[in-house]
Coordinates of all heavy atoms in Angstrom, one line a residue:
N360 N 179.4 199.3 276.6 CA 179.8 198.2 275.8 C 179.6 198.5 274.3 O 178.6 199.2 274.0 CB 179.0 196.9 276.2 CG 179.3 196.5 277.6 OD1 180.3 195.8 277.8 ND2 178.4 196.8 278.5
F361 N 180.5 198.1 273.5 CA 180.4 198.4 272.1 C 181.1 197.4 271.2 O 182.2 196.9 271.6 CB 180.9 199.8 271.7 CG 180.9 200.1 270.2 CD1 179.7 200.4 269.6 CD2 182.1 200.0 269.5 CE1 179.7 200.6 268.2 CE2 182.0 200.2 268.1 CZ 180.8 200.5 267.5
S362 N 180.4 197.0 270.1 CA 181.1 196.1 269.2 C 180.6 196.5 267.8 O 179.5 196.9 267.6 CB 180.7 194.6 269.5 OG 179.3 194.4 269.4
Y363 N 181.5 196.4 266.8 CA 181.2 196.7 265.4 C 180.4 195.5 264.8 O 179.6 195.8 263.9 CB 182.5 196.9 264.6 CG 183.2 198.1 265.0 CD1 184.4 198.1 265.8 CD2 182.8 199.4 264.6 CE1 185.1 199.2 266.2 CE2 183.5 200.5 264.9 CZ 184.6 200.4 265.7 OH 185.3 201.6 266.1
N364 N 180.5 194.4 265.4 CA 179.7 193.2 265.0 C 179.4 192.4 266.2 O 180.1 192.5 267.2 CB 180.3 192.4 263.8 CG 181.7 192.0 264.1 OD1 181.9 191.2 265.0 ND2 182.7 192.5 263.4
S365 N 178.6 191.4 266.1 CA 178.1 190.7 267.3 C 179.2 189.8 267.9 O 179.2 189.4 269.1 CB 177.0 189.8 266.9 OG 177.3 188.9 265.8
S366 N 180.3 189.5 267.1 CA 181.3 188.6 267.6 C 182.6 189.3 268.1 O 183.6 188.7 268.5 CB 181.7 187.6 266.6 OG 182.2 188.2 265.4
D367 N 182.6 190.7 268.0 CA 183.9 191.4 268.3 C 183.6 192.5 269.2 O 183.2 193.6 268.8 CB 184.5 191.9 266.9 CG 185.8 192.6 267.1 OD1 186.4 192.4 268.2 OD2 186.2 193.4 266.3
T368 N 183.8 192.3 270.5 CA 183.6 193.4 271.5 C 184.8 194.3 271.6 O 185.9 193.8 271.8 CB 183.3 192.8 272.9 OG1 182.2 191.9 272.8 CG2 183.1 193.9 273.9
V369 N 184.6 195.6 271.3 CA 185.7 196.5 271.3 C 185.8 197.3 272.7 O 186.9 197.5 273.2 CB 185.6 197.5 270.2 CG1 186.7 198.5 270.1 CG2 185.5 196.8 268.8
I370 N 184.7 197.7 273.2 CA 184.6 198.3 274.5 C 183.8 197.5 275.4 O 182.7 197.0 275.1 CB 184.0 199.7 274.4 CG1 184.7 200.6 273.4 CG2 183.9 200.4 275.7 CD1 186.2 200.9 273.8
N371 N 184.3 197.2 276.6 CA 183.7 196.2 277.5 C 183.6 196.8 278.9 O 184.5 196.9 279.7 CB 184.6 195.0 277.5 CG 183.9 193.8 278.1 OD1 182.9 193.9 278.8 ND2 184.5 192.6 277.9
G390 N 195.0 199.3 269.2 CA 193.9 198.3 269.1 C 193.1 198.1 270.4 O 192.2 197.3 270.5
T395 N 188.0 204.4 269.5 CA 186.6 204.0 269.5 C 185.9 204.9 270.6 O 184.7 205.3 270.4 CB 186.4 202.5 269.8 OG1 187.0 201.8 268.8 CG2 184.9 202.2 269.8
T407 N 176.5 199.8 272.2 CA 175.7 198.6 272.2 C 174.9 198.6 273.5 O 173.7 198.2 273.5 CB 176.6 197.3 272.2 OG1 177.4 197.5 271.0 CG2 175.8 196.1 272.1
H563 N 192.2 196.2 275.8 CA 191.1 195.3 275.3 C 189.7 195.9 275.7 O 188.8 195.2 276.2 CB 191.2 193.9 275.9 CG 192.4 193.2 275.4 ND1 193.6 193.2 276.2 CD2 192.7 192.6 274.2 CE1 194.5 192.5 275.5 NE2 194.0 192.2 274.3
G564 N 189.6 197.2 275.5 CA 188.3 197.9 275.8 C 188.0 198.1 277.3 O 186.8 198.5 277.6

Side-chain angles (χ1 to χ4, degrees):
N360 293 280
F361 175 75
S362 60
Y363 291 102
N364 53 65
S365 58
S366 60
D367 182 21
T368 301
V369 180
I370 302 296
N371 195 344
T395 301
T407 305
H563 298 98

